[in-house]
Amino acid sequence: MIKNAKPVLITGGCGFVGRHMTRRLLQAGYSLWIVDDCSTGQHPGNWLPGADTRKDVAPGVIEYDGGKVVFILGDARDFFTGRVDLGELEEPAFGDVFHFAAVIGGRSTIDGNPMAVAIDLALDALCFNWAVRARPERLLYASSSAAYPVDLQGDGGAVALKESDIQFGGRLGQPDMTYGWSKLTGEYLARIAHDHYGLHTACVRPFSGYGEEQDLSYPVPSIALRAAKREAPLTVWGSGLQGRDFVHIDDCIEAMLRVLARVEDGSGVNIGSGTLTNFREVARTFADLEGYEPEIKPLADKPVGVHSRYADISHMTEILQWQPAISIEEGFGRVLKVARERNAQGL
Ligand SMILES: NC(=O)c1ccc[n+]([C@@H]2O[C@H](COP(=O)([O-])OP(=O)(O)OC[C@H]3O[C@@H](n4cnc5c(N)ncnc54)[C@H](O)[C@@H]3O)[C@@H](O)[C@H]2O)c1
């Protein structure tokens, strides 16, 4: 354990990003509190190192590894408003906070059930209300590239999105559905928490994070699985000409830690590769890696979101003194390896 380091709080710590951050911080020697309702996340009993050391301390509150990890199975809104029975435990003074808990659900939920996603407004408002009272040392808010104005992401010429395309006090534009609105509002709250309450806050705007463990409702693992099954034709949603900026989860985690160390005024930093890749290219890359040549077939009736979304990474590389290290070929290769294992298990 790191000497004198205060515990770290991770909301949504059982989700895709949260599990990676949890493992990274445990390796670095931190003790953690994780709050997750496991609505989409996976219970730590299934993935946490030391999961066999479970000790129940209150209903829904579990200690692992002699208290190195405290897991609260519950709604983060209840935690933020002090409505979780912690049993014999007391809420500690936290060092870093990573606020990842959110309703997302992929493009079909963002477009198809926007009011469910709007719950994120409540989650974020309660998170920042808690933070200005509890006063953690630093707080990282997971915003999103969905906060950017959608009129910069049409098919009339793709624009690399830069941090200054969102200007509080200036041009904000129309973000992407309720998901984008909640992220834009969360960023505003992070600034307020800094400017009015003196908290160290930072925001990240990840583009399309992907990785081996990602849920199959996301396009990269899902196309990888279809390629591992050698489906022909190999389908992609929409025309397949819509593009995204894919960045491997290991790079996302590294970038998040660097942003939290370097930004304290609540401003947002892109996390992307700076490369626009369309879904036909994604499918073709997986087919090449799998070693077959299927026809790529568009599925016109599927939701696709904005046409082109990718990052200008000049600000990111300048302030982080770093850029993503994992190429698409390497990252997609890792995802395909897992897809082959999933296929072998009959998934
Ligand atoms: N993965 C990406 O590429 C990406 C891109 C942009 C932004 N983000 C943001 O990063 C964060 C993490 O994303 P992710 O990909 O890990 O998503 P995820 O869905 O895998 O994880 C979200 C976690 O939050 C939990 N959760 C949802 N509502 C909750 C509630 N009320 N109380 C407690 N827990 C709750 C879920 O069970 C889940 O474990 C999110 O805020 C997301 O908007 C992610």
Side-chain angles (χ1 to χ4, degrees), residues 146-288:
Y148 279 112
V150 289
D151 65 354
L152 300 177
Q153 304 169 60
D155 54 6
V159 180
L161 297 162
K162 49 186 186 303
E163 285 80 352
S164 57
D165 289 328
I166 294 174
Q167 285 182 10
F168 293 101
R171 184 186 193 275
L172 286 176
Q174 165 84 32
D176 188 359
M177 298 297 294
T178 52
Y179 181 61
W181 275 110
S182 75
K183 296 302 184 186
L184 191 63
T185 309
E187 286 202 25
Y188 185 60
L189 297 180
R191 281 169 186 256
I192 294 281
H194 174 266
D195 294 351
H196 292 249
Y197 300 87
L199 271 196
H200 176 135
T201 59
C203 299
V204 284
R205 298 175 188 160
F207 281 66
S208 293
Y210 73 92
E212 295 87 305
E213 285 184 29
Q214 198 170 27
D215 189 84
L216 287 171
S217 60
Y218 287 82
V220 169
S222 143
I223 296 171
L225 185 58
R226 296 203 286 278
K229 292 180 185 200
R230 297 193 155 230
E231 285 185 7
L234 185 55
T235 55
V236 291
W237 286 16
S239 68
L241 295 174
Q242 71 278 16
R244 295 291 182 272
D245 182 332
F246 296 101
V247 55
H248 190 272
I249 184 66
D250 290 350
D251 282 329
C252 286
I253 297 296
E254 179 64 29
M256 286 177 176
L257 294 170
R258 286 175 180 252
V259 170
L260 188 57
R262 288 165 174 80
V263 175
E264 61 174 57
D265 65 354
S267 56
V269 179
N270 286 343
I271 300 180
S273 68
T275 304
L276 183 64
T277 305
N278 73 40
F279 284 95
R280 289 183 190 222
E281 292 168 328
V282 171
R284 183 61 64 203
T285 304
F286 277 119
D288 288 349

Side-chain angles (χ1 to χ4, degrees), residues 10 60 69 78 87 121 135 137 169 189 206 219 271 282 286 298 321 325 339:
I10 308 183
V69 176
D78 290 334
L121 291 159
R135 305 209 66 81
E137 285 173 357
L189 297 180
I271 300 180
V282 171
F286 277 119
Q321 292 293 298

Side-chain angles (χ1 to χ4, degrees), residues 12 14-18 35-42 74-77 99-104 123 142-145 179 183 206-210 214 218:
C14 299
F16 173 57
V17 177
V35 184
D36 198 303
D37 63 3
C38 291
S39 48
T40 60
Q42 298 171 22
D75 193 316
R77 289 172 291 177
H99 179 45
F100 295 143
V103 177
I104 311 159
L123 258 170
S143 179
S144 168
S145 53
Y179 181 61
K183 296 302 184 186
F207 281 66
S208 293
Y210 73 92
Q214 198 170 27
Y218 287 82

